[in-house]
Amino acid sequence: MTDVEHDSTTARTIPAGGNGRPDSFASLRIRNYRIYTLGQSTSVVGNWMQNVAVGWMTLQLTHSGTMLGLVIGARYLPVLLFGAWGGLVVDRHDTRRLLALTQIWFAVQAALLTVLSAAHLVTLPLLVVIMLTLGITNLFDSPARQKLISELVDAEHLTNAIAINSTFVNTAKLLGPGAAGFVIAALGVAPCFALDTVSFLAVLVSLAMLRTSEMHPAEREVRAKGQIRAGLTHIRRTPELLYPMSMVYVTGILTWEFPVSLPLLTTSGFHSGPAGYGAAMALMSAGGVLGGFAAMRRRRLSTRSLSVSALIWGALICAAALAPSLPVALALLVLVGAGSVTFNASAKTLMQVGAAPQMRGRVMAIWSIGWMGGHRHRRADRGGDRRLLRPPQRTARRRGGRGRRRYPRAAPHLGRTTRNRTELSRPHTDARRGALRCCRSPCVRHSGLRSGLTAQSVRRRCG
């Protein structure tokens, strides 16, 4: 028995239990979907351990937020440039076999990272290349994963299946970052990559156990010209797709930058280590689990409810950005995680149900560009804004010319003249930023102390 929910924009069928209320776990009674979801959730644990390890290793190699944004952006650049083509490939081929190939390639790349990190051979250019290859694989993996859900359940259970998948994935994301933080602190990054390699075997086993006779495969697209343009036209002419897709692009480009902003916030903003970063990711994923349970029990799903979810989520992100301390920020990140899953699960449901079956791969690929790839082109800039997350500091003014640092002239009692040169007390600053440089002429015009700083006992002779 089902309850049919009507809205001014859409009409949806929600599975219900015997008491007339929506059954939150109705899709788990379907064997194929249950096996795939368990395997996929296991892989997500390892994948998020790898994501945390890559971010932490990049910061350790470069100490640069800009380089962190470059590494993460490299993984999603192929999705941004060729995502629609990847969805077309998914529409033309068997979804399960294509997904098995992507999992094998992911496992090979994770094993390579394990060996390189254990041997201390990882360099920044090599890491960028590996992330680019991961991005190329994601061209086909992301739309294939989204499309396979609609082939494992019927249309009646699709809404519930997407919500359950989001809940299980976020439960895995709750375990992955937290475990990665402790593993990195105790053993280093190499074990994280090793566990990620093993986790892909769970997906391969689950795909092999699926019963093809119980699946609902969509009709494959026949090769022809203009099929990517046809997918875009399908979205533009279908309001049930156009409105959610527009909101996904706006929120994806402007808000979803947590893999870059969270490590910078915890390390530079609140001076925490890997445990703090892992806690932030884990608590945000915990909120995602709560949001998933809320999405599983939603009785009304429409573009109007999606807009309300977006507004609430945006307000929570602003509150977390203004948090005065790490505990307050962590508490707000729980709510941010809940809002993200509620919004994302609702948007995916509207688009999967509204898309034509033979177009579903392209529709979900274009969704991936907005949600997973559209915002990554700005991440290098976000990483470069790492200084904005630091506590306020005094910065030296630069004099015109070739970037020489100009300090206020030293007071007479703080220096002594020796052979027409002046020896001054060195300010207590970072060695690279505070070292005093002299010229051939008497350097009293170019040296000195920063205003407001006390002279230290360490002295440096000019010349």
Side-chain angles (χ1 to χ4, degrees):
M1 182 178 180
T2 60
D3 293 335
V4 179
E5 301 298 335
H6 296 278
D7 185 80
S8 58
T9 307
T10 60
R12 293 291 173 260
T13 302
I14 311 295
N19 57 2
R21 296 180 179 179
D23 188 353
S24 300
F25 301 98
S27 299
L28 289 179
R29 297 191 180 96
I30 302 174
R31 177 186 178 276
N32 280 350
Y33 176 77
R34 182 173 62 251
I35 292 175
Y36 170 74
T37 301
L38 292 176
Q40 182 70 20
S41 301
T42 303
S43 177
V44 172
V45 174
N47 185 45
W48 273 94
M49 292 185 71
Q50 174 180 286
N51 290 343
V52 174
V54 168
W56 189 256
M57 184 167 56
T58 303
L59 287 177
Q60 294 298 306
L61 286 173
T62 65
H63 302 284
S64 170
T66 300
M67 294 299 103
L68 175 61
L70 174 65
V71 170
I72 295 179
R75 179 171 182 174
Y76 298 97
L77 182 62
V79 176
L80 175 63
L81 298 178
F82 309 108
W85 174 74
L88 177 59
V89 172
V90 172
D91 284 333
R92 290 176 176 174
H93 294 84
D94 182 87
T95 308
R96 187 178 68 156
R97 293 181 179 177
L98 184 60
L99 193 59
L101 292 176
T102 62
Q103 300 308 300
I104 292 173
W105 186 240
F106 278 141
V108 170
Q109 292 169 320
L112 178 62
L113 279 173
T114 303
V115 174
L116 292 175
S117 58
H120 303 286
L121 298 176
V122 179
T123 61
L124 182 64
L126 183 60
L127 195 58
V128 171
V129 171
I130 293 176
M131 290 298 104
L132 279 173
T133 58
L134 285 173
I136 294 173
T137 312
N138 265 331
L139 281 177
F140 317 106
D141 180 76
S142 180
R145 283 188 290 107
Q146 303 299 329
K147 185 180 178 181
L148 185 62
I149 295 177
S150 64
E151 297 183 0
L152 298 178
V153 300
D154 51 28
E156 177 184 348
H157 292 86
L158 183 57
T159 300
N160 180 253
I162 293 174
I164 289 178
N165 182 72
S166 298
T167 304
F168 274 72
V169 166
N170 279 277
T171 303
K173 288 163 65 175
L174 170 64
L175 301 176
F182 292 111
V183 170
I184 292 174
L187 303 174
V189 296
C192 292
F193 298 130
L195 292 173
D196 183 41
T197 305
V198 176
S199 71
F200 288 113
L201 299 178
V203 183
L204 293 172
V205 171
S206 68
L207 292 174
M209 293 176 63
L210 296 181
R211 296 174 180 171
T212 56
S213 60
E214 299 178 6
M215 296 180 63
H216 308 272
E219 182 181 354
R220 298 185 194 176
E221 189 70 281
V222 180
R223 184 182 297 272
K225 293 183 179 181
Q227 290 179 322
I228 295 179
R229 184 170 60 253
L232 295 173
T233 303
H234 177 57
I235 295 174
R236 180 171 55 85
R237 293 180 177 178
T238 309
E240 291 84 356
L241 298 177
L242 179 61
Y243 298 148
M245 189 72 75
S246 301
M247 284 187 276
V248 164
Y249 268 73
V250 171
T251 56
I253 292 174
L254 299 179
T255 63
W256 191 261
E257 301 182 62
F258 303 109
V260 167
S261 59
L262 284 186
L264 296 178
L265 180 68
T266 54
T267 58
S268 298
F270 296 113
H271 307 290
S272 180
Y277 173 37
M281 295 296 295
L283 288 174
M284 188 170 173
S285 298
V289 175
L290 299 178
F293 280 112
M296 287 159 51
R297 299 193 63 83
R298 293 185 73 168
R299 296 178 57 86
R300 193 173 186 83
L301 187 59
S302 65
T303 54
R304 182 179 302 172
S305 63
L306 183 65
S307 301
V308 174
S309 298
L311 290 174
I312 296 174
W313 185 33
L316 292 171
I317 292 174
C318 292
L322 299 174
S325 62
L326 182 60
V328 175
L330 293 178
L332 289 171
L333 285 176
V334 176
L335 301 178
V336 171
S340 68
V341 171
T342 302
F343 172 82
N344 189 30
S346 300
K348 284 195 296 184
T349 300
L350 289 171
M351 286 185 287
Q352 289 232 40
V353 173
Q358 69 274 15
M359 295 276 189
R360 198 164 280 151
R362 276 161 286 180
V363 170
M364 298 314 298
I366 295 170
W367 164 84
S368 298
I369 296 174
W371 186 253
M372 299 175 60
H375 56 281
R376 265 73 177 188
H377 74 283
R378 297 171 62 244
R379 284 197 166 176
D381 294 335
R382 289 297 186 195
D385 289 343
R386 181 179 182 178
R387 62 186 181 275
L388 299 178
L389 298 175
R390 294 174 179 169
Q393 297 177 350
R394 295 179 181 269
T395 56
R397 294 178 295 176
R398 294 181 181 272
R399 66 180 290 149
R402 298 181 179 253
R404 294 175 179 173
R405 297 185 184 275
R406 181 173 180 265
Y407 299 102
R409 187 172 298 181
H413 66 281
L414 294 180
R416 59 186 178 87
T417 303
T418 305
R419 292 185 181 179
N420 204 29
R421 294 177 183 256
T422 303
E423 183 178 16
L424 297 171
S425 301
R426 178 187 176 188
H428 184 63
T429 58
D430 185 89
R432 292 176 300 174
R433 299 174 58 186
L436 300 179
R437 300 182 180 274
C438 304
C439 58
R440 293 289 180 181
S441 60
C443 63
V444 67
R445 295 187 302 108
H446 303 289
S447 300
L449 296 175
R450 295 186 184 188
S451 60
L453 294 176
T454 306
Q456 305 296 319
S457 59
V458 180
R459 297 178 181 272
R460 170 172 290 188
R461 181 178 296 277
C462 302

